[in-house]
């Protein structure tokens, strides 16, 4: 498993201060903490969507960000598959179009799965021609997961993937996630504030509080 | 043909047809700039933003004749840029159909930018970010995600600018003059009005009717598109 090293500082306009440092080479690393503790910030910085004020991010032998050396890899070159908290599926594309968006832009990264396999594992077969607006929360989440898996990511970021899923469906969607992670063994950073989920899925747990790592 | 159906004299029909073509060309010309500026004003945060906003909205507030005059000073044969163009390449802009297109484009531009900007402001900026994270570079993400999502607003802006362009008078008069190739709809009304005689008066009112119908249709379409956009983004 490639090692993820994260050591960054970021001060928001609002004054919120994120100053976190952690390393992990576990297959699934959980990032947990109360809401507002900076978990999504950390994911944004790793994905390259937010530029830290200073610091260092490395995945395996690739440096994604290094303020001292002036390195800031743009998001499209990081190979990070992001499953957003609000899915952020593209409303103007159908499910197939959403799934293939990252696939078409994987820039020669080796693909461990193709559309057929992902559709099978996540049971998306019936949904392929539908538009995101017509899907349920759980279905959207599965499509978002599929989209991230299909961009041949070197690292998977899951931001509270079960937050907008109905309570009685949570177990099922977690099954899908577990299955996908087991099938593809892509290093994963899993954000959640639910201890049950974390206990089930994570190998290493990092606790964030007020923008800082506490455990 | 359509002209006789509407009861328009041939010269008058040319004016209506010319206005339609000039407005169409003006919209096509201003579209890339309108989209770029709409995007920049919706998403950007930079010093001088207010200045740019004011500049873009100027044609909306200045007397059209003044805008025409400014265009003349800028692009006329002895103008700042026009002078150089004429001396170097022999390009004449003022008092040609090109001037009519530019005048109409400038006058409609604030309306286009306003609608495009609104469309981008109403769409979720995080979707562009998501596209970037899935491997799309800035231009790729813009053309495959941001722009399609703002599509209806952009079209509504185009229709509005087109409708505004159909009736353009003041700036066109100053910059393009009253020549056969620049005799747009409003200028034709003005010309007919200045000629004594019932004949001309009847013709004038027919052209006025045609312009009202065209403006109504264009504006109605723009409102319809704007309304559908509101429903679609729910």
């Amino acid at each position: 498993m490639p090692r993820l090293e994260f050591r960054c500082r970021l001060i928001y306009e609002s004054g919120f201060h994120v100053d976190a440092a952690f390393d992990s080479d576990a297959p699934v690393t959980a990032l947990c903490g109360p809401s507002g503790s900076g978990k999504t910030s950390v994911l944004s910085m790793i994905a390259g969507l937010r530029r830290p004020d200073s610091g260092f991010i490395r995945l395996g032998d690739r440096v994604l960000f290094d303020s001292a050396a002036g390195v800031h890899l743009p998001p499209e070159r990081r190979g990070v598959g992001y499953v957003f908290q609000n899915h952020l599926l593209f409303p103007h594309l159908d499910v197939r179009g959403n799934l293939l968006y990252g696939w078409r832009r994987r820039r020669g990264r080796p693909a461990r799965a193709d559309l057929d396999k992902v559709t099978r594992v996540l049971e998306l077969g019936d949904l392929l021609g539908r538009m995101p607006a017509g899907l349920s929360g759980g279905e959207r989440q599965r499509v978002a997961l599929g989209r991230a898996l299909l961009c041949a990511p070197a690292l998977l970021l899951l931001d509270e993937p079960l937050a907008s899923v109905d309570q009685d469906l949570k177990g099922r969607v977690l099954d899908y996630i577990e299955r996908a992670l087991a099938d593809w063994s892509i290093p994963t950073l899993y954000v959640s504030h639910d201890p049950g989920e974390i206990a089930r899925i994570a190998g290493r747990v990092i606790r964030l509080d007020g923008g800082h790592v506490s455990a | 043909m359509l002209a006789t159906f509407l009861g328009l004299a041939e010269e008058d029909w040319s004016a209506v047809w010319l206005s339609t073509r000039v407005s169409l060309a003006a919209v096509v010309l201003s579209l890339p700039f309108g989209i770029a500026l709409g995007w920049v004003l919706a998403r950007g945060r930079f010093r001088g933003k207010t200045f740019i906003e004011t500049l873009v909205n100027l044609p909306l507030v200045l007397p059209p004749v003044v805008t025409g005059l400014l265009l003349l000073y800028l692009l006329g044969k002895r103008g700042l840029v026009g002078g150089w163009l004429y001396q170097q390449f022999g390009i004449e802009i003022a008092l040609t159909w090109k001037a009519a297109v530019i005048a109409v484009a400038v006058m409609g531009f604030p309306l286009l930018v306003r609608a495009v900007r609104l469309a981008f402001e109403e769409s979720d900026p995080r979707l562009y970010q998501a596209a970037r994270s899935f491997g799309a570079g800035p231009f790729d993400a813009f053309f495959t995600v941001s722009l399609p999502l703002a599509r209806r607003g952009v079209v509504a802006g185009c229709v509005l600018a087109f409708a505004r362009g159909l009736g353009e008078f003041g700036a066109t008069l100053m910059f393009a003059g009253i020549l056969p190739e620049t005799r747009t709809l409003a200028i034709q009304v003005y010309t007919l009005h200045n000629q004594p005689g019932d004949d001309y008066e009847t013709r004038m009112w027919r052209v006025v009717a045609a312009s009202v119908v065209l403006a109504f249709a264009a504006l109605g379409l723009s409102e319809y598109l704007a309304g559908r956009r509101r429903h679609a983004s729910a």
Side-chain angles (χ1 to χ4, degrees):
Chain A
M1 264 303 127
R3 186 175 199 79
L4 172 67
E5 289 172 57
F6 181 91
R7 241 183 300 296
C8 290
R9 281 181 75 229
L10 172 62
I11 304 177
Y12 283 82
E13 274 165 19
S14 58
F16 181 60
H17 200 115
V18 176
D19 189 347
F22 63 88
D23 290 10
S24 180
D25 53 10
V28 181
T29 307
L31 203 58
C32 66
S35 56
S37 54
K39 309 187 293 289
T40 305
S41 295
V42 169
L43 294 188
S44 295
M45 287 188 254
I46 294 174
L49 299 177
R50 229 180 223 288
R51 192 179 177 133
D53 292 329
S54 66
F56 182 79
I57 304 175
R58 172 151 69 195
L59 177 64
D61 54 3
R62 285 169 67 227
V63 175
L64 303 180
F65 176 77
D66 186 347
S67 57
V71 174
H72 174 68
L73 215 56
E76 64 270 19
R77 295 226 294 263
R78 293 198 181 194
V80 170
Y82 200 150
V83 182
F84 297 88
Q85 197 169 1
N86 312 75
H87 340 107
L88 291 186
L89 295 180
F90 303 125
H92 61 300
L93 300 175
D94 62 10
V95 167
R96 176 185 265 109
N98 268 280
L99 290 171
L100 292 175
Y101 192 87
W103 173 260
R104 296 190 172 118
R105 293 165 174 79
R106 66 189 192 278
R107 292 156 198 261
R109 277 195 298 277
R112 276 175 270 205
D114 60 6
L115 182 64
D116 282 335
K117 185 146 188 230
V118 167
T119 306
R120 226 183 323 123
V121 172
L122 298 177
E123 293 182 28
L124 298 171
D126 290 336
L127 305 178
L128 286 179
R130 303 221 338 235
M131 302 299 286
L135 301 176
S136 69
E139 288 167 340
R140 285 185 200 158
Q141 204 56 291
R142 276 158 39 209
V143 175
L145 181 60
R147 182 177 61 171
L149 288 168
L150 277 169
C151 76
L155 176 70
L156 212 56
L157 303 177
L158 299 175
D159 195 349
E160 310 252 16
L162 302 184
S164 44
V165 175
D166 287 337
Q167 189 58 41
D168 42 329
L169 283 177
K170 275 196 212 279
R172 272 196 69 198
V173 179
L174 197 54
D175 284 342
Y176 283 118
I177 294 176
E178 271 186 313
R179 208 186 316 169
L181 294 186
D183 274 6
W184 284 291
S185 50
I186 303 169
T188 302
L189 201 54
Y190 190 102
V191 165
S192 174
H193 59 269
D194 182 322
E197 280 167 43
I198 292 172
R200 199 171 138 181
I201 221 174
R204 167 93 197 281
V205 179
I206 291 158
R207 233 166 282 278
L208 268 187
D209 206 337
H212 302 263
V213 173
S214 55
Chain B
M1 239 199 36
L2 195 61
T4 26
F5 172 71
L6 291 170
L8 292 170
E10 201 187 304
E11 193 186 75
D12 304 337
W13 170 249
S14 310
V16 172
W17 183 224
L18 179 68
S19 273
T20 310
R21 281 178 295 156
V22 165
S23 282
L24 226 57
V27 168
V28 168
L29 177 68
S30 30
L31 195 57
F33 303 101
I35 290 178
L37 259 157
W39 166 260
V40 163
L41 290 176
R43 296 272 185 261
R45 271 177 310 179
F46 53 91
R47 233 173 335 158
K49 185 173 171 182
T50 317
F51 177 71
I52 304 277
E53 282 172 321
T54 313
L55 207 63
V56 166
N57 284 320
L58 222 48
L60 216 48
V61 175
L62 280 179
V65 167
V66 172
T67 306
L69 204 60
L70 289 170
L71 283 172
L72 204 57
Y73 275 133
L74 195 65
L75 298 169
K77 253 194 335 210
R78 283 177 296 179
L80 271 149
V81 176
W84 174 79
L85 283 170
Y86 182 63
Q87 274 155 14
Q88 291 290 99
F89 307 105
I91 295 177
E92 280 184 57
I93 301 176
L95 304 176
T96 66
W97 62 269
K98 299 183 193 112
V101 172
I102 293 175
V104 165
V106 167
M107 294 305 290
F109 196 63
L111 296 172
L112 178 63
V113 172
R114 194 170 282 250
V116 170
R117 177 187 182 164
L118 193 65
F120 282 127
E121 279 172 352
E122 283 178 347
S123 65
D124 192 341
R126 295 176 304 174
L127 290 167
Y128 169 83
Q129 299 283 58
R132 296 290 302 277
S133 79
F134 289 117
F139 283 105
D140 186 358
F142 178 77
F143 283 108
T144 57
V145 173
S146 306
L147 194 56
L149 289 173
R151 184 176 68 236
R152 285 206 180 91
V154 172
V155 174
C158 286
V159 175
L160 203 55
F162 175 77
R164 173 67 184 82
L166 283 180
E168 214 323 279
F169 179 69
T172 316
L173 186 68
M174 280 309 270
F175 191 37
I178 307 181
L179 303 167
E181 71 183 60
T182 67
R183 208 176 267 245
T184 52
L185 196 151
I187 288 182
Q188 183 68 355
V189 171
Y190 178 69
T191 312
L192 289 170
H193 177 75
N194 280 343
Q195 285 172 310
D198 284 336
D199 223 22
Y200 291 110
E201 203 182 319
T202 316
R203 279 173 59 186
M204 181 193 78
W205 284 114
R206 291 227 170 99
V207 177
V208 167
S211 73
V212 169
V213 166
L214 269 171
F216 208 86
L219 208 59
L221 182 61
S222 166
E223 288 298 312
Y224 168 72
L225 287 168
R228 281 202 52 194
R229 187 181 81 238
R230 246 176 268 128
H231 288 289
S233 60

